[in-house]
Amino acid sequence: MKSWCALAVLSLAYLCHGALSCPPLCKCYRRRAEVVCNEVPLTEYPSEGLWQNTTLVTLQFTNITSISEQQLSATPLLQGLHLYSNHLQNLSAHLLRGVPHLDTLDLTGNQLSVLPADVFDHAPLRNLVLKNNAIEKADAEWLPDNSSITWLDISGNSLTKVPAALLQKLPHLENLDLANNRLDQISANSLDLLNKLERLNLRNNKLDTLDASVFQSSRNLTYLFLSRNNLNKLPKNLFQELSQLKLLCLDENQLSHIPAGLLDPLSSLEEEGLDLTSNPWLCDRKVRYLWGWLQKNKKKVFLPESIVCARPQSLEGRSLMSLTERELNLQS
């Protein structure tokens, strides 16, 4: 049997390395080096009780309002930090200087509005989520040049534009989510350096048109979400370079026509990969291209019978695909 003194020394050694400590109100999982604080009345980031070898921290539904570089530096091996649905209002500048291994930072559902310069510098972030905050302005100074981020989610904020200078710092970006903002335009060359981009979500914004060249460098784009905007016209060559596109959502816009040839480059659309529903289609001679394309590509269209005429009154509510050439006055 080990002596009391030997046990005391062993216990002290464990405590010195933080192996047995855990912040009050939190749960710690030693094997995974993980700390979880869920729905507890914390008002400050629990840096003093964290193991130094912690690699994953999840704090959700707490009363924390701010987080600083000094607090994070207590866990220099941190790789993932998930801060869902707290009351964060402020982040300190150079926030990540003490966590040089941080890969994932999720700040979903807080009250962030203005972020300081260099806030996401110093760590090799690959996943950054700022979803459902109160951010009105995105700033290129948030990030270092040649950022390693591959997944950026700024959806659910109040952005009216995204500066090209910010996107130009993201050459490795694969997923960009800007849904549920107030964007009224996407600058013509803002996506030019995002040649690895695979998924772009612009759903539920205020876009009424798109520049013809905006996707010219997006040859790897696979999923494009443009639903619930105010799009009323699209340039003929908008999708010219999108031969890898599998899914395109254009539903719930203000499209009455699309130009001839617009959909021809989309040879990789998967089954039901195109959604054109809930647009006010004008079923006249100008709809000839769309009508013919639908006849040939029915399997690629989501609910093709739900693409219906809004005008003229005589055809209102009729499925576009069900119409004859005579009804569309297409006979030469």
Side-chain angles (χ1 to χ4, degrees):
M1 178 180 292
K2 293 182 180 179
S3 69
W4 182 92
C5 290
L7 288 173
V9 170
L10 184 61
S11 297
L12 182 60
Y14 270 91
L15 288 171
C16 288
H17 285 85
L20 298 180
S21 63
C22 187
L25 306 176
C26 301
K27 295 181 179 179
C28 297
Y29 304 92
R30 181 179 170 190
R31 289 186 178 181
R32 303 198 298 265
E34 179 181 4
V35 178
V36 178
C37 309
N38 181 34
E39 294 187 275
V40 293
L42 287 175
T43 57
E44 292 186 1
Y45 187 82
S47 55
E48 292 186 4
L50 295 174
W51 307 326
Q52 280 196 345
N53 65 341
T54 300
T55 60
L56 179 59
V57 172
T58 299
L59 275 71
Q60 51 191 11
F61 303 104
T62 75
N63 296 319
I64 296 171
T65 59
S66 63
I67 185 169
S68 69
E69 172 193 343
Q70 290 73 24
Q71 290 171 323
L72 285 187
S73 64
T75 50
L77 301 181
L78 196 64
Q79 297 176 17
L81 179 58
H82 301 274
L83 298 169
Y84 317 120
S85 298
N86 296 287
H87 293 274
L88 287 171
Q89 300 174 18
N90 300 295
L91 304 177
S92 67
H94 304 285
L95 178 68
L96 309 182
R97 186 152 44 189
V99 282
H101 304 285
L102 193 68
D103 175 89
T104 298
L105 176 59
D106 192 335
L107 293 157
T108 298
N110 284 282
Q111 299 170 17
L112 300 169
S113 57
V114 178
L115 304 180
D118 303 315
V119 61
F120 303 126
D121 211 338
H122 306 294
L125 284 178
R126 289 177 56 83
N127 307 294
L128 176 59
V129 182
L130 297 167
K131 182 178 181 179
N132 293 346
N133 278 277
I135 300 169
E136 296 184 359
K137 182 180 179 182
D139 194 334
E141 298 304 313
W142 292 349
L143 300 173
D145 293 334
N146 196 29
S147 169
S148 55
I149 291 174
T150 61
W151 185 293
L152 177 60
D153 186 344
I154 323 181
S155 63
N157 283 279
S158 299
L159 299 176
T160 56
K161 63 180 180 179
V162 178
L166 173 66
L167 299 178
Q168 288 167 3
K169 290 186 172 184
L170 297 164
H172 306 287
L173 197 63
E174 296 174 4
N175 182 92
L176 177 58
D177 196 335
L178 296 168
N180 303 314
N181 278 285
R182 300 174 183 173
L183 301 174
D184 56 15
Q185 65 175 342
I186 302 295
S187 300
N189 303 116
S190 59
L191 305 179
D192 281 2
L193 297 184
L194 306 185
N195 51 32
K196 294 185 179 180
L197 191 65
E198 296 178 1
R199 182 185 293 260
L200 176 59
N201 191 353
L202 293 166
R203 186 178 186 274
N204 195 24
N205 278 285
K206 298 182 179 300
L207 303 170
D208 56 17
T209 190
L210 292 165
D211 188 273
S213 64
V214 69
F215 301 129
Q216 66 181 356
S217 299
S218 305
R219 294 179 177 84
N220 287 314
L221 201 60
T222 309
Y223 300 95
L224 178 56
F225 302 90
L226 293 167
S227 311
R228 298 192 65 184
N229 277 279
N230 298 321
L231 294 170
N232 55 70
K233 58 181 178 180
L234 298 174
K236 178 179 179 179
N237 296 323
L238 183 62
F239 305 134
Q240 189 66 42
E241 303 297 333
L242 303 187
S243 60
Q244 304 301 314
L245 202 66
K246 294 181 179 180
L247 181 68
L248 173 60
C249 295
L250 284 165
D251 52 300
E252 296 189 64
N253 278 285
Q254 297 299 316
L255 296 171
S256 58
H257 294 106
I258 60 172
L262 177 72
L263 304 175
D264 293 351
L266 305 181
S267 57
S268 294
L269 281 176
E270 59 188 18
E271 189 169 327
E272 297 188 345
L274 175 64
D275 191 347
L276 294 170
T277 59
S278 301
N279 279 283
W281 299 107
L282 174 56
C283 295
D284 59 7
R285 293 183 66 88
K286 290 182 179 180
V287 84
R288 179 170 193 160
Y289 166 73
L290 177 58
W291 177 81
W293 192 93
L294 291 173
Q295 303 295 332
K296 297 175 182 177
N297 297 278
K298 181 178 178 180
K299 290 185 178 180
K300 294 183 177 183
V301 182
F302 176 71
L303 297 177
E305 292 80 10
S306 297
I307 302 172
V308 298
C309 304
R311 292 176 293 156
Q313 187 174 2
S314 60
L315 298 177
E316 183 179 356
R318 289 280 304 276
S319 168
L320 176 58
M321 287 194 60
S322 73
L323 302 180
T324 65
E325 290 188 0
R326 182 181 296 277
E327 287 175 305
L328 289 171
N329 192 26
L330 299 182
Q331 293 177 318
S332 54

